[in-house]
Amino acid sequence: MKRLFLFLLLLVALFLSKPYWEEPVSKYVDLSFLDSIDEKLEDVVNKDTIESTIDTLRTATHDLAGIISDKTEGMRDAKQTVDKPALAKPTATPISINNLEIGASAEQVTAELGEPKSQSLNEYGAEWQTYHTDYQNFVMVSLDESNRVGAIYTNDDLISSTIGISYGASKADVRAALGQPLTKMRKGLNVFVLQDDEGMDLFKLGDVYAYVFYDIHQDTAVTAIELVSVELENSKKSLYADRSEALRNGFERQLFDLTNAARVRHGRSILSWDSAVSGTARKHSTDMADNDYFSHDNLQGLSPFDRIKEDGIGFKRAGENLAYGQSSSIFAHEGLMNSKGHRENILLKDYSSLGIGVSFNQDMQPYYSEEFLLR
């Protein structure tokens, strides 16, 4: 029994110290076979059924207890829930978010949500005002020229409707309630054909467009909704907004917030903004946009890890997500969450900070780079 305990102790110690030895060892040994083992160990560590085993290991040695405490502290913080608001049924439109509908006044927004945590330019030439409490009850609101809600988004359980649509509803239930999604969108003389996207449906509900996002890794359930007034949507004449420094800053800020909101929703800790590696991310996005390629390795053959080190940034673990062509930070984020490898980076427990860089090519298409770090 003692030998079994010591063996389990060794396995846990090796797993928890992986960020310190994985990178130098990987230069000489292919460690990809450990990915499946990681997943199983992470599943085990998360299960309440082995709480007594973790308690035993904590008492075994002071150093190991400290490592386990460090690894689990973020999870405990993320699970301290904030009360949800009482949600009423919408009255003017079929769907509302946090008791706000398209057309609500700025005063109503303040009454429901208080003051925004941040504001940043979006693809409609307006601003996303972002509201949350430690990234719980996460909502983004955009006011139109008349100072009324022109767009609103959430990836939290804040959706109310008169037609049975809710956070976590199945794609089949959504389509049963709303019919078949749109396959094209007309804006003036322009008609935009919408790609078939397993992770998103677009519906027109009177004077409101509803973008419904699904989590294909969780039974294709509703994971987010963006509501946009037809008037605001039609004010955007092309697929991509005009590039600008303000829009670049906006997309970067929004993608950072969206990533943290998703992490908290899945019980992960909040990442801090890393301005140093954001510079690395911006340079790579700009290089890809200017030189018309899309790859983790740049044209000089440098990997993300090479590029981060070249900028003088130390790390114990790092990961990179790339996206391009999505017309907004929301579409980029939701697409990354539905891609297995990118999703794993977003939800990895080990990371402590995040840097994001965005750039645009000559056709206004955005390139997004996310650099995750454990310092």
Side-chain angles (χ1 to χ4, degrees):
M1 185 69 183
K2 182 178 179 182
R3 289 181 179 179
L4 176 61
F5 170 75
L6 291 174
F7 178 68
L8 289 173
L9 182 61
L10 176 62
L11 281 180
V12 172
L14 286 171
F15 173 66
L16 294 177
S17 63
K18 185 180 175 186
Y20 301 93
W21 56 261
E22 180 180 28
E23 184 191 348
V25 173
S26 65
K27 292 179 180 178
Y28 306 99
V29 180
D30 183 4
L31 298 179
S32 60
F33 71 93
L34 292 176
D35 292 344
S36 60
I37 298 174
D38 281 353
E39 292 176 2
K40 289 181 172 57
L41 283 174
E42 286 188 353
D43 287 343
V44 171
V45 171
N46 283 330
K47 291 181 180 176
D48 293 336
T49 55
I50 65 144
E51 186 61 38
S52 60
T53 304
I54 293 178
D55 286 340
T56 302
L57 292 175
R58 281 181 182 143
T59 60
T61 158
H62 177 75
D63 290 339
L64 183 57
I67 293 172
I68 293 175
S69 175
D70 290 342
K71 291 285 183 180
T72 57
E73 189 64 35
M75 288 291 290
R76 290 199 185 97
D77 289 345
K79 289 184 178 180
Q80 293 174 357
T81 57
V82 175
D83 290 340
K84 298 288 182 186
L87 299 178
K89 295 292 185 183
T91 58
T93 58
I95 303 175
S96 63
I97 293 173
N98 207 117
N99 296 321
L100 293 171
E101 301 176 53
I102 295 297
S105 67
E107 291 74 21
Q108 288 175 284
V109 174
T110 302
E112 287 289 342
L113 303 176
E115 294 300 319
K117 296 286 187 181
S118 64
Q119 297 177 229
S120 55
L121 187 68
N122 63 29
E123 65 276 17
Y124 295 106
E127 287 189 331
W128 279 125
Q129 299 180 353
T130 303
Y131 304 83
H132 60 86
T133 303
D134 293 331
Y135 288 100
Q136 297 179 66
N137 293 341
F138 184 83
V139 180
M140 299 200 304
V141 178
S142 186
L143 301 178
D144 60 21
E145 292 180 351
S146 61
N147 219 27
R148 293 189 172 275
V149 174
I152 184 168
Y153 165 93
T154 189
N155 61 359
D156 213 331
D157 188 8
L158 301 171
I159 302 163
S160 182
S161 77
T162 57
I163 49 178
I165 306 302
S166 62
Y167 184 90
S170 71
K171 185 175 188 176
D173 287 343
V174 171
R175 290 188 171 186
L178 300 180
Q180 287 301 304
L182 298 177
T183 58
K184 57 187 176 182
M185 177 186 289
R186 179 179 294 277
K187 293 186 177 185
L189 299 177
N190 297 317
V191 176
F192 296 94
V193 177
L194 305 176
Q195 293 182 347
D196 186 20
D197 185 347
E198 186 181 4
M200 190 274 289
D201 280 338
L202 174 60
F203 302 94
K204 188 172 182 292
L205 311 175
D207 293 331
V208 177
Y209 283 112
Y211 294 89
V212 182
F213 299 95
Y214 306 103
D215 190 335
I216 66 173
H217 298 285
Q218 294 187 334
D219 301 321
T220 321
V222 173
T223 190
I225 283 185
E226 181 182 12
L227 304 175
V228 184
S229 72
V230 170
E231 182 180 6
L232 184 61
E233 186 66 62
N234 287 343
S235 70
K236 183 169 169 275
K237 300 301 183 184
S238 61
L239 182 60
Y240 299 107
D242 291 339
R243 58 184 178 183
S244 68
E245 188 67 17
L247 187 60
R248 164 193 264 187
N249 293 335
F251 281 177
E252 291 173 351
R253 178 70 209 192
Q254 293 149 26
L255 197 50
F256 175 78
D257 287 339
L258 290 162
T259 300
N260 269 326
R263 285 179 63 85
V264 168
R265 287 293 300 165
H266 288 81
R268 304 301 193 252
S269 59
I270 296 169
L271 302 178
S272 61
W273 175 263
D274 196 315
S275 57
V277 83
S278 292
T280 306
R282 271 197 176 190
K283 285 192 291 186
H284 190 55
S285 288
T286 300
D287 190 37
M288 290 189 294
D290 289 350
N291 294 292
D292 192 26
Y293 75 95
F294 185 67
S295 172
H296 289 290
D297 292 344
N298 67 14
L299 298 180
Q300 288 72 47
L302 297 179
S303 71
F305 317 109
D306 296 328
R307 289 184 276 106
I308 294 170
K309 290 176 182 176
E310 190 174 59
D311 287 341
I313 300 168
F315 61 90
K316 296 170 183 152
R317 187 165 189 171
E320 178 178 80
N321 282 350
L322 302 179
Y324 94 101
Q326 291 88 347
S327 59
S328 74
S329 52
I330 290 174
F331 283 99
H333 170 72
E334 297 297 343
L336 290 169
M337 282 296 290
N338 274 333
S339 170
K340 186 175 184 296
H342 298 105
R343 180 191 185 92
E344 289 172 353
N345 255 346
I346 291 170
L347 300 181
L348 191 72
K349 300 186 191 78
D350 288 347
Y351 295 135
S352 57
S353 61
L354 171 63
I356 295 175
V358 174
S359 194
F360 306 89
N361 66 13
Q362 292 182 345
D363 296 322
M364 310 300 176
Q365 294 176 320
Y367 284 70
Y368 307 85
S369 296
E370 297 179 323
E371 310 296 341
F372 298 87
L373 290 185
L374 173 64
R375 288 281 200 168

